[in-house]
Amino acid sequence: MSYMSDAQSFAASTTPDHPHSMGMVFQIAGSSSKVLIDAQRLGILGQDADPCVAMAGQVGSQVKMRVGASWLIASVRAMALDQATHSVIADIDFLGEGDEEPATGCIHHFRRGVTRYPTPGTDIFPVSSADMQQIYAADDRANVEIGTVYPTSDTRAALYVDSMLGKHFALLGSTGTGKSTSAALILHRICDLSPQGHIVMIDPHGEYGAAFAQNGAVYDVSNLALPYWLMNFEEHCEVFVTSQGADRTVDSDILAKCLLAARSKNRLADSIGRLTVDSPVPYLLSDLTTILQNEMGKLDKGTGALPYMRLKTKIDEIKADPRYSFMFSGMLVADTMQQFIAKIFRLPSDGKPISIIDVSAMPSDITSTVVSVLSRLVFDYAIWARDEPQRPILLVCEEAHRYIPASTSGSGQAVRKILERIAKEGRKYGVSLGLITQRPSDLAEGVLSQCGTIIAMRLNNDRDQAFVKAAMPEGARGFLDSIPALRNREAIICGEGVAVPIRVALDTLEPQRRPASSDPSFTDLWRQSGGEQDILARTITRWRSQGR
């Protein structure tokens, strides 16, 4: 296919009457259109001192065109050389439009979306750094600055906090791309803006405690003191019921009956009109085992003694295991629900708006239940506090693919259900969800598309890239093609949290505010020697006592 006539008319358009034109539009199709760019003109622009003009016409750069009194901005998605005319054919995606300032000719009042499309033959021009300042300038909404817009060195990239949190966000990136540091940077900026905020972060590797030592509260197995009776029935089943198939149904029915009886022994139960197995009413584990024992001795039961023995054995085992004492201790029987929620949700925050829940030292078989209880408490609190002055809560989930897996079978389904529900309904009740993951393709289907803002760092896996592309809005496709080519601590941000999709070089975080996630230097550490016996002795002591 030849574009000879287009190229000839284009040659005319680069006469002295249009000294800055770099090409023209020749095909319009909704969000995606095609432009013809003069290859010689690209070479000249590449020498420009302005880095934005020097990048003009390259994949990921922006171009502008005048339509009436407005400037239209588009990003370049793909390029090809037309052999017949030696011109470059580029696919573009429209980002938005701005008014022209009569005095300077610059763009101002930039907004997303296009009201009027250009016609074929319209000249296109490079976007300058001054234009970029106007396009990406933050408006009056509350925002935090997190870096500089690529390729400029001085245009600041802003995230609109209310829009980003109101519709959830996801931070994605392969291991080693600076994901943890970027998460810490964004959360630090939000905490600095809102020192009376309420943020709960699930930290599976124990790396964020160091980053938020000054402005956060860190809870781990030593001080979390999560009362076991806050679990609902489904979570009880995940912990206490060990059988599978038909036996699991029998065991669950017996547990439901005995759990309700144990809860009803508390004097709080008298003041509650309709007590259920899910009601967060304290009960004694010893009461539960006694009731199981008594039920097992009754003659009218329809099953044998085995289900009762299975449940009783598992409960006794957990009660006796010191690793579970942060949750199943006999000291956690008092009605501490108000104090626990106040502590975890930072109500009031006292200048420490973020609570880090370090689950790294917890037994792996109960971690998903702990995350489920905390997530459900966030959601249930928001539902039952609807008539009160609102205290929105942000729940940030690191390694989110562990807790919202694509698989609908196996263990850990309680946490999957509650996080999916928060993703779908949370914003109605003032609950925001932040998902951080290196494997977006392993997330449950639909969860990523519920995130209004997506911050994508480098992703090496083709399947992950395809998932992110499917979840991102149409106009960001040109940016997405550069995801595999991003440098460390660079990100593509698109969605509700930004005015238009942007590529950002993220700011450097102060050393004392960084998470403890830096990679070890093998060559340096393998040159060091001495003190190994003491290292082993201390490590084995901690190992045996299951504490840090």
Side-chain angles (χ1 to χ4, degrees):
M1 180 180 177
S2 171
Y3 301 105
M4 191 68 77
S5 57
D6 292 312
Q8 286 163 351
S9 59
F10 165 66
S13 74
T14 49
T15 57
D17 299 332
H18 300 85
H20 302 298
S21 169
M22 57 185 279
M24 66 161 190
V25 177
F26 78 85
Q27 186 177 313
I28 294 290
S31 63
S32 177
S33 304
K34 288 185 188 291
V35 294
L36 207 60
I37 302 173
D38 179 20
Q40 279 185 313
R41 183 83 181 121
L42 276 185
I44 297 164
L45 290 172
Q47 310 301 316
D48 202 286
D50 184 334
C52 291
V53 175
M55 252 205 77
Q58 296 180 30
V59 170
S61 69
Q62 278 85 43
V63 294
K64 63 180 181 180
M65 58 211 78
R66 189 186 274 111
V67 177
S70 300
W71 281 107
L72 248 59
I73 306 295
S75 87
V76 177
R77 174 159 43 96
M79 304 173 79
L81 183 68
D82 181 35
Q83 299 285 358
T85 63
H86 300 289
S87 297
V88 174
I89 301 154
D91 291 330
I92 59 167
D93 295 312
F94 291 111
L95 297 175
E97 62 188 11
D99 301 327
E100 184 175 8
E101 213 165 38
T104 61
C106 283
I107 297 166
H108 72 133
H109 294 150
F110 184 81
R111 57 212 168 260
R112 193 186 290 185
V114 176
T115 49
R116 189 174 154 198
Y117 285 99
T119 52
T122 303
D123 288 326
I124 60 168
F125 302 89
V127 168
S128 66
S129 288
D131 291 330
M132 292 284 270
Q133 292 273 18
Q134 288 298 320
I135 294 166
Y136 295 110
D139 57 29
D140 300 336
R141 293 179 286 168
N143 64 80
V144 291
E145 291 184 352
I146 56 162
T148 51
V149 178
Y150 179 85
T152 69
S153 55
D154 55 353
T155 303
R156 300 294 287 155
L159 280 176
Y160 296 116
V161 179
D162 292 335
S163 299
M164 181 174 95
L165 300 187
K167 300 212 173 73
H168 312 311
F169 71 93
L171 172 57
L172 318 166
S174 295
T175 306
T177 54
K179 196 164 70 279
S180 302
T181 313
S182 306
L185 169 73
I186 292 166
L187 291 175
H188 271 304
R189 294 281 195 268
I190 292 171
C191 289
D192 294 344
L193 180 73
S194 312
Q196 300 303 319
H198 311 284
I199 304 171
V200 180
M201 180 171 206
I202 309 295
D203 177 10
H205 302 304
E207 53 188 16
Y208 290 94
F212 294 94
Q214 304 300 316
N215 58 349
V218 183
Y219 300 104
D220 56 17
V221 286
S222 65
N223 64 347
L224 180 63
L226 170 63
Y228 59 86
W229 48 264
L230 281 174
M231 293 191 294
N232 66 11
F233 176 60
E234 188 176 5
E235 290 150 0
H236 270 91
C237 288
E238 284 198 354
V239 180
F240 292 152
V241 179
T242 53
S243 52
Q244 296 297 325
D247 287 346
R248 189 174 182 84
T249 311
V250 173
D251 291 11
S252 300
D253 290 344
I254 290 169
L255 180 60
K257 185 178 172 185
C258 297
L259 180 59
L260 185 58
R263 287 202 199 272
S264 59
K265 282 196 165 197
N266 192 302
R267 54 193 171 83
L268 267 175
D270 300 334
S271 59
I272 298 170
R274 193 166 158 270
L275 188 73
T276 70
V277 281
D278 289 333
S279 302
V281 170
Y283 70 91
L284 287 166
L285 280 174
S286 55
D287 279 350
L288 183 57
T289 50
T290 307
I291 291 165
L292 277 166
Q293 188 88 41
N294 295 341
E295 286 289 320
M296 186 165 56
K298 286 184 180 174
L299 295 171
D300 60 348
K301 63 181 190 294
T303 59
L306 191 60
Y308 296 91
M309 285 305 298
R310 274 198 298 255
L311 288 167
K312 187 175 179 300
T313 307
K314 183 65 178 174
I315 294 166
D316 289 340
E317 185 187 305
I318 284 175
K319 223 161 57 166
D321 192 334
R323 294 177 306 153
Y324 295 92
S325 60
F326 72 93
M327 190 171 179
F328 293 94
S329 161
M331 310 298 290
L332 299 173
V333 183
D335 183 11
T336 53
M337 190 170 175
Q338 184 167 337
Q339 296 93 303
F340 180 77
I341 286 178
K343 174 177 85 171
I344 299 299
F345 297 173
R346 315 304 304 145
L347 295 164
S349 56
D350 296 325
K352 292 193 169 185
I354 185 165
S355 60
I356 307 292
I357 315 294
D358 177 358
V359 298
S360 59
M362 293 175 189
S364 56
D365 57 346
I366 202 169
T367 309
S368 67
T369 307
V370 171
V371 178
S372 174
V373 173
L374 294 168
S375 308
R376 191 175 45 75
L377 286 176
V378 169
F379 191 62
D380 285 355
Y381 168 79
I383 286 177
W384 297 111
R386 268 180 300 186
D387 299 333
E388 302 295 331
Q390 246 194 331
R391 298 285 183 270
I393 299 171
L394 166 61
L395 176 65
V396 182
C397 214
E398 170 72 271
E399 298 282 4
H401 57 276
R402 286 189 189 183
Y403 307 116
I404 325 177
S407 164
T408 54
S409 59
S411 60
Q413 291 304 306
V415 67
R416 179 180 182 273
K417 283 177 193 168
I418 186 60
L419 288 173
E420 278 191 320
R421 192 172 175 202
I422 291 173
K424 288 171 187 164
E425 304 170 31
R427 61 191 183 87
K428 300 175 194 168
Y429 304 107
V431 178
S432 178
L433 187 61
L435 302 176
I436 306 169
T437 180
Q438 59 198 5
R439 292 306 310 267
S441 59
D442 287 351
L443 282 174
E445 199 177 347
V447 170
L448 206 56
S449 55
Q450 298 284 347
C451 295
T453 306
I454 292 180
I455 304 159
M457 304 184 79
R458 189 173 69 249
L459 286 163
N460 302 327
N461 186 293
D462 289 347
R463 195 157 155 258
D464 290 331
Q465 290 167 22
F467 257 71
V468 177
K469 284 185 185 183
M472 279 195 172
E474 192 83 350
R477 285 185 304 181
F479 290 88
L480 292 179
D481 292 333
S482 58
I483 282 180
L486 291 173
R487 295 173 294 193
N488 281 3
R489 296 187 45 259
E490 270 194 350
I492 306 278
I493 308 177
C494 68
E496 302 292 333
V498 284
V500 286
I502 47 174
R503 179 173 169 180
V504 179
L506 295 157
D507 288 341
T508 305
L509 205 52
E510 301 87 346
Q512 71 275 15
R513 295 183 124 194
R514 286 180 203 158
S517 60
S518 55
D519 297 328
S521 169
F522 285 81
T523 48
D524 290 346
L525 295 173
W526 280 356
R527 289 193 189 109
Q528 298 170 17
S529 182
E532 280 82 359
Q533 281 188 323
D534 293 339
I535 291 170
L536 278 169
R538 289 192 299 268
T539 303
I540 289 168
T541 304
R542 281 198 298 271
W543 195 340
R544 283 181 173 150
S545 63
Q546 297 289 312
R548 297 196 147 187

